[in-house]
Amino acid sequence: MDLKYVQTTCPYCGTGCSFNLVVKDGKVVGTQPYTRSPVNEGRVCPKGTYAHEFVNSPDRLTKPLIKKDGKFVEATWDEAYDLIVQKFKSYKPGETACLASARVSNEENYLMMKFARAVLKTPHIDHCARLCHSSTVAGLAASFGSGAMTNSINDIAESKCLFIIGSNTFEQHPLIGRKIVQAKQNGAKIIYADPRYTPTARQADLYMPFISGTDVAILNGLMQEIIKNGWEDKEFIEKRTKDFEKLKEVVMKEDYSLENVSKISGIPVESLKQTAEWLGTCKPGAILYSMGITQHTVGVDNVRSVANLQMLLGNLGKPGAGVNALRGQNNVQGACDMGALPNVYTGYQKVTDEATRKKFIEAWGVDDIAEGKVGYTVTELINVLADKPGEIKGLYIMGENPMLSDPDLHHVEKGLKNAEFIVVQDIFMTETAELADVVLPAACFAERDGTQTSTERRVQRWRKAQNPPGEAKEDWQIICELAARMGYEKQFSFKSPEEIFNEIAAVTPSYHGMSYARLEKPEALHWPCPSEDHPGTPILHREKFATPDGLGIFAPIEWKPPAEVPDEEYPFVLTTGRILWHWHTGSMTRRSVTLDNEVPTGWIEINPEDAEELGIKNNEVVRASTRRGSVEIPARVTPEIIKGVMFIPFHYKEHPANRLTHNALDPISKIPEFKACAVKVEKITKEA
Ligand SMILES: Nc1nc2c(c(=O)[nH]1)N[C@H]1C(S)=C(S)[C@@H](COP(=O)(O)OP(=O)(O)OC[C@H]3O[C@@H](n4cnc5c(=O)[nH]c(N)nc54)[C@H](O)[C@@H]3O)O[C@H]1N2
Ligand SMILES: Nc1nc2c(c(=O)[nH]1)N[C@H]1C(S)=C(S)[C@@H](COP(=O)(O)OP(=O)(O)OC[C@H]3O[C@@H](n4cnc5c(=O)[nH]c(N)nc54)[C@H](O)[C@@H]3O)O[C@H]1N2
Ligand code: SF4
Ligand SMILES: [Mo]
């Protein structure tokens, strides 16, 4: 028997834990702790423990598939490539769009970005960060000049006060949850605000349930109370920030008195007072947030309010402090860093800057690339496909499943069906792949080398443990082979992920000093790492912010309700999200026997008082409807959700939450309002 251990990083969440894959006779059969990673020190959550289970699933795609007369038939790679090239060559620049993937490596996202801009010459490239932290990227860039998590994961344990709002850290970033426990053991106060009493709430010294969509009001109220008590950091405000007076004008309004905020949010005045006092007097303090803050039509406003609060308290640029936006997918930070976004090249270099465009034309050795305009975001792309048929004709989707993950699935389906030609590159036959014309079988994380960048900007290695199944190929190889057939062999002549990484480092200032050799050590490197002798940067904004004048910018923000609020017909707020055991659209975790056995079906959480009014019992199958559609789904009647709000996890294709959600977008970040829309719930009366 041949047994080996291959160290790699987890393919699930942005925490970036490491573990060993156990390889027996050439096949991945299990995981074992890798104790030298400073992130998780050998510990992992259940998804990490069972990350091997989907790898050799019998459902893996093993051959290219071409749809003929509505049915998929197996094809050779040559046949698949020929068809794709013939179609893609027939479209004008801008008639195609690419979706990159937070599931694949930096190298592969970089190549997808290069393929879109240099080969297809389209400005339309984006990925699921749009649905996730686009509000963070836009909001923090406006406040601090840079849109990433400011501090490191280990740093969280040093905090004296943790304010967690809109992040269910213990289920969604479990090994960051461990740092919360460590901070608590070190005497930190833990404050948790969330409409649901989640496993994270159980760790809190103070838990504040509230109505979804009232975050700005809460944050403004807290700032008013802090200023009234003189708890603001006057020196920090004076030396490091500007526009404080503008902030004050808004937050000191009567609208944001604790009494008014209590009425809007449902949080008792006493809890708000206690929170303000702990925030104001227990320093340094850190904020942890995630989708509860970002996924709103006011997502950018929410993020800027969080930034306001931390600047007010002087909680930036030092250990134990920070605005810690917990990035979701394993490599969503990296996919953004690689420029798989419609407005930037790698390292957030703007596409509208002509000098930057020239730099990439030269670096890539091409005559021309996509014009220097901002392309469509994922959410706009779906709207264009649905409402202006013919404008976008060809789609290349790598490692995303919008037919379950995008808002308002009827609308998504209409859009995708309007596309003339769709290529999906995935490891499984997904709901989206079903609508494709060509499906390309990809290798998974365990089957390739590469790098991924975690939420704390730490760039870490993936290492190949087994060969891909059947004829599946690594994503980077597929893109290179396709580009070569499109006439760009020279520009895509990479022989290994390391060669691609070296090109990334050359064109990206924040990755400039990185190489595979330097990433070998267990702690790897945090960007920015501008030169070969630079140690990397775990904490941002130490001396100054990344804005042109180095000052952080306060933004006066007024509270606005969600785009759709409850009324007589749809009397409750629907919010959606995740659970510990499953991952998004379930393509991987629902094929993981252990994980799927834990929680094999979805539900809608309903407060007991609401359930009683509706005459609904625990476990009864009910109909939940919004203006977009209906699902039949078991009710979970529980006091763990605030009255007036209901929650559905979006993992289950049997009762897809996104048939109900709303495609209303934040005007700046274009993120949809996954966290609040109006819903009604009815008993299903059996017909006689
Ligand atoms: N197990 C597991 N872990 C994951 C994922 C997964 O699918 N499964 N996905 C990963 C990804 S991509 C991401 S982005 C992260 C997301 O991580 P989180 O943001 O922590 O997860 P969510 O469940 O989407 O939402 C977090 C919380 O927001 C609360 N919430 C609802 N409405 C509001 C509101 O209006 N305001 C506030 N402040 N809070 C509200 C919800 O009750 C929920 O507890 O998780 C990552 N980790
Ligand atoms: N209602 C509601 N909807 C939401 C959210 C919410 O909170 N509520 N959250 C949103 C957020 S934050 C996110 S990030 C999105 C996630 O949305 P998606 O990214 O669309 O969801 P995933 O299920 O993670 O899809 C990833 C796909 O990549 C495939 N894959 C995995 N590994 C590889 C690989 O190595 N190569 C290739 N080619 N494919 C691979 C998987 O099989 C899967 O089909 O969902 C969003 N949708
Ligand atoms: S916390 Fe995240 S990175 Fe760590 S093992 Fe769990 S899913 Fe993987
Ligand atoms: Mo996400």
Side-chain angles (χ1 to χ4, degrees):
M1 185 180 71
D2 174 32
L3 195 68
K4 62 176 180 175
Y5 294 84
V6 179
Q7 186 230 326
T8 196
T9 42
C10 182
Y12 286 111
C13 91
T15 306
C17 300
S18 292
F19 51 73
N20 287 318
L21 285 170
V22 184
V23 188
K24 202 170 131 188
D25 296 329
K27 289 266 177 243
V28 168
V29 294
T31 62
Q32 281 288 316
Y34 170 78
T35 51
R36 287 168 66 211
S37 162
V39 180
N40 60 314
E41 297 166 308
R43 291 161 179 87
V44 283
C45 80
K47 290 181 297 301
T49 309
Y50 301 108
H52 60 285
E53 284 191 350
F54 71 84
V55 171
N56 290 308
S57 155
D59 291 353
R60 283 287 302 274
L61 292 169
T62 56
K63 274 184 185 283
L65 303 171
I66 294 178
K67 199 177 268 169
K68 288 187 179 145
D69 303 323
K71 277 215 170 75
F72 283 117
V73 289
E74 290 183 355
T76 64
W77 278 100
D78 278 335
E79 287 164 345
Y81 285 146
D82 285 347
L83 177 61
I84 298 169
V85 169
Q86 178 216 327
K87 288 285 184 185
F88 280 175
K89 277 194 165 169
S90 74
Y91 302 135
K92 295 194 199 75
E95 287 183 343
T96 50
C98 297
L99 297 186
S101 173
R103 314 297 288 145
V104 311
S105 67
N106 286 324
E107 292 77 358
E108 291 157 335
N109 277 292
Y110 174 76
L111 287 192
M112 186 56 124
M113 186 279 287
K114 186 171 172 180
F115 186 84
R117 292 187 168 129
V119 177
L120 298 176
K121 309 213 189 297
T122 180
H124 309 309
I125 171 152
D126 201 11
H127 72 284
C128 70
R130 188 62 46 202
L131 312 172
C132 185
H133 270 292
S134 56
S135 319
T136 299
V137 175
L140 294 189
S143 295
F144 304 154
S146 154
M149 176 165 168
T150 62
N151 287 49
S152 69
I153 292 172
N154 280 328
D155 201 66
I156 292 168
E158 318 245 316
S159 183
K160 290 288 162 242
C161 180
L162 291 175
F163 182 23
I164 309 162
I165 180 163
S167 156
N168 180 4
T169 326
F170 278 78
E171 289 196 79
Q172 268 73 86
H173 295 89
L175 271 292
I176 298 182
R178 182 167 166 256
K179 298 294 160 192
I180 299 174
V181 174
Q182 289 172 353
K184 192 169 166 171
Q185 284 164 349
N186 293 337
K189 296 286 183 211
I190 314 292
I191 307 161
Y192 186 60
D194 197 292
R196 297 161 54 232
Y197 187 79
T198 64
T200 312
R202 281 178 209 132
Q203 302 297 323
D205 295 296
L206 176 62
Y207 165 59
M208 303 192 286
F210 69 98
I211 304 290
S212 290
T214 59
D215 298 76
V216 168
I218 297 167
L219 293 163
N220 280 354
L222 293 172
M223 286 189 264
Q224 180 177 114
E225 182 71 5
I226 287 165
I227 295 171
K228 276 188 176 160
N229 285 283
W231 288 323
E232 75 272 25
D233 185 334
K234 296 177 187 72
E235 194 188 333
F236 187 91
I237 295 169
E238 169 71 28
K239 289 202 178 124
R240 303 257 341 243
T241 69
K242 64 184 186 194
D243 295 343
F244 179 53
E245 289 307 316
K246 290 187 191 163
L247 174 86
K248 246 167 97 175
E249 255 173 51
V250 167
V251 302
M252 297 314 283
K253 284 185 177 174
E254 180 54 24
D255 298 3
Y256 304 113
S257 68
L258 294 191
E259 287 69 27
N260 276 331
V261 170
S262 175
K263 276 187 210 134
I264 298 171
S265 64
I267 302 178
V269 170
E270 280 317 306
S271 299
L272 292 164
K273 270 205 169 128
Q274 180 67 78
T275 299
E277 186 188 330
W278 283 348
L279 291 174
T281 56
C282 308
K283 299 280 189 72
I287 289 192
L288 272 54
Y289 78 79
S290 199
M291 296 302 98
I293 286 290
T294 60
Q295 290 175 332
H296 290 281
T297 46
V298 294
V300 174
D301 283 354
N302 283 347
V303 169
R304 294 210 73 180
S305 297
V306 168
N308 284 341
L309 176 62
Q310 286 300 66
M311 286 193 287
L312 184 75
L313 294 166
N315 273 331
L316 284 156
K318 49 183 93 143
V323 171
N324 293 316
L326 306 181
R327 303 295 304 248
Q329 301 236 42
N330 53 323
N331 196 31
V332 65
Q333 181 67 54
C336 292
D337 297 348
M338 292 305 110
L341 295 169
N343 59 335
V344 288
Y345 301 106
T346 64
Y348 308 93
Q349 304 173 78
K350 290 197 167 64
V351 294
T352 46
D353 180 56
E354 211 27 54
T356 307
R357 188 165 168 269
K358 286 219 173 76
K359 168 180 144 176
F360 276 91
I361 291 180
E362 226 162 84
W364 291 342
V366 288
D367 296 336
D368 197 14
I369 57 179
E371 59 177 315
K373 71 166 194 190
V374 177
Y376 291 137
T377 58
V378 174
T379 39
E380 291 169 310
L381 174 69
I382 300 288
N383 288 346
V384 169
L385 284 163
D387 305 334
K388 297 182 193 166
E391 184 182 326
I392 300 284
K393 299 192 168 74
L395 291 179
Y396 185 4
I397 302 175
M398 164 174 73
E400 294 222 327
N401 190 10
M403 266 305 294
L404 269 188
S405 61
D406 276 16
D408 189 357
L409 292 179
H410 283 304
H411 179 69
V412 180
E413 185 172 2
K414 180 176 167 204
L416 292 181
K417 285 190 167 159
N418 278 345
E420 203 179 282
F421 182 70
I422 303 180
V423 181
V424 168
Q425 184 168 309
D426 207 293
I427 59 176
F428 292 111
M429 178 54 77
T430 62
E431 292 68 25
T432 306
E434 298 282 1
L435 296 183
D437 299 281
V438 180
V439 176
L440 302 177
C444 78
F445 82 105
E447 295 152 357
R448 61 171 171 246
D449 287 313
T451 60
Q452 56 173 353
T453 306
S454 74
T455 180
E456 54 173 347
R457 296 169 282 105
R458 199 192 287 265
V459 183
Q460 304 186 101
R461 284 290 313 278
W462 263 342
R463 290 183 183 80
K464 181 168 175 164
Q466 71 164 43
N467 287 325
E471 294 174 24
K473 294 187 187 201
E474 299 175 38
D475 289 281
W476 67 270
Q477 285 174 324
I478 302 173
I479 302 171
C480 287
E481 289 175 6
L482 204 48
R485 283 171 160 81
M486 293 285 292
Y488 292 83
E489 191 171 358
K490 195 170 115 248
Q491 290 81 358
F492 288 79
S493 62
F494 302 103
K495 296 282 171 291
S496 69
E498 186 171 5
E499 282 183 24
I500 308 168
F501 190 85
N502 292 340
E503 182 171 311
I504 295 168
V507 297
T508 313
S510 51
Y511 282 64
H512 210 58
M514 295 188 191
S515 61
Y516 270 31
R518 287 196 74 191
L519 296 178
E520 270 307 310
K521 51 180 187 165
E523 59 272 30
L525 283 166
H526 297 260
W527 68 255
C529 175
S531 60
E532 274 156 41
D533 53 2
H534 193 285
T537 314
I539 300 181
L540 296 178
H541 317 305
R542 272 193 184 264
E543 309 294 330
K544 58 184 174 73
F545 289 97
T547 48
D549 60 7
L551 298 176
I553 306 168
F554 280 108
I557 308 277
E558 297 274 10
W559 174 69
K560 293 190 221 77
E564 192 182 65
V565 292
D567 55 18
E568 254 175 50
E569 204 184 346
Y570 297 96
F572 300 97
V573 178
L574 173 69
T575 191
T576 60
R578 311 162 153 74
I579 62 164
L580 174 66
W581 304 91
H582 281 294
W583 194 261
H584 298 161
T585 67
S587 66
M588 292 148 79
T589 48
R590 298 201 71 194
R591 288 186 175 88
S592 208
V593 179
T594 314
L595 298 175
D596 200 43
N597 277 347
E598 285 291 335
V599 195
T601 187
W603 65 86
I604 181 165
E605 273 170 30
I606 306 179
N607 179 279
E609 286 180 44
D610 292 333
E612 199 181 309
E613 254 170 54
L614 296 165
I616 286 169
K617 292 198 185 58
N618 195 27
N619 290 331
E620 172 178 347
V621 175
V622 296
R623 183 178 302 114
S625 314
T626 66
R627 291 185 173 84
R628 274 75 53 195
S630 295
V631 294
E632 295 189 358
I633 185 168
R636 180 180 287 182
V637 178
T638 167
E640 296 189 343
I641 187 158
I642 191 170
K643 182 172 157 33
V645 180
M646 298 187 180
F647 168 84
I648 304 182
F650 78 102
H651 307 300
Y652 299 92
K653 62 175 182 230
E654 302 87 319
H655 12 250
N658 282 325
R659 210 181 282 161
L660 305 176
T661 51
H662 196 196
N663 182 35
L665 306 181
D666 179 286
I668 299 168
S669 66
K670 313 290 181 192
I671 201 169
E673 195 141 55
F674 284 128
K675 288 290 184 269
C677 69
V679 69
K680 73 174 165 196
V681 168
E682 299 157 298
K683 273 184 96 69
I684 300 174
T685 34
K686 293 262 177 300
E687 277 163 36

